[in-house]
Amino acid sequence: MKLVVSGAPGAGKGTQAHFLAEHYGIPHISTGALLREHIKNGSPIGIRVEDLVNKGMLVSNDIVVQVVKDRLALEDCRAGFILDGFPRSIRQAEITEDIAGKLDRVIFIHVDDKVIIQRISGRRICGNCGATWHLVYNPTKDGHHCDACGGKLAQRVDDKAKTVRERLSLFHKETDQINEYFKSAGLLLVVKGLDGIDDTKKCIIEALEKR
């Protein structure tokens, strides 16, 4: 199965992509995580994009496409994958299937901007393994360390309220075009992001299995 999970920053797409990856036994490929790994390793790409990523701004098409293309070429993607954070522009949408092959579905998780801004202030990232948690919706046992590896949790710079508003503004400039593109291709599945993570997961899986 080849899926794209889309939604505004803070809509819960990363969490849902992780759950779906476990459910279907395929890798969860987060563009943001891939870029942060490049930054952490000090690669040429990481050096080029570090400032943009920290400010929550979009990275150029050529860099993102290359990073995704390299990841999809690995052996574990042969049986399928879940793309999270790609495509984020109409140009990326137009070439997605050239890079990834024929998609099964593009899942768009819809959440109002006001709710997103409220949600995002509670999001925390493990500094060790990169797992995403939330102080309210998906808390760890002690609220300070990752349940998966014990790493210390932190709030990303691009999760600050001001940066979130800037990211949403950029996101909405392209979202309507991308959704219309995949809708015309018969691939778009819009799911309302519910307060309960498990409720959203259930809605997505039920919608996928009705195909």
Side-chain angles (χ1 to χ4, degrees), residues 35-36 38-40 42-57 59:
L35 291 172
R36 287 191 290 275
H38 277 280
I39 292 170
K40 181 179 179 181
S43 73
I45 286 178
I47 294 171
R48 290 175 64 186
V49 305
E50 183 172 11
D51 190 50
L52 291 174
V53 171
N54 286 339
K55 291 180 179 178
M57 300 176 69
V59 176

Side-chain angles (χ1 to χ4, degrees), residues 9 56 123 156 158-159 163-171:
R123 187 163 66 180
R156 285 173 14 201
D158 55 348
D159 284 349
T163 306
V164 172
R165 292 189 185 95
E166 294 172 352
R167 292 168 69 195
L168 286 171
S169 178
L170 289 170
F171 177 82

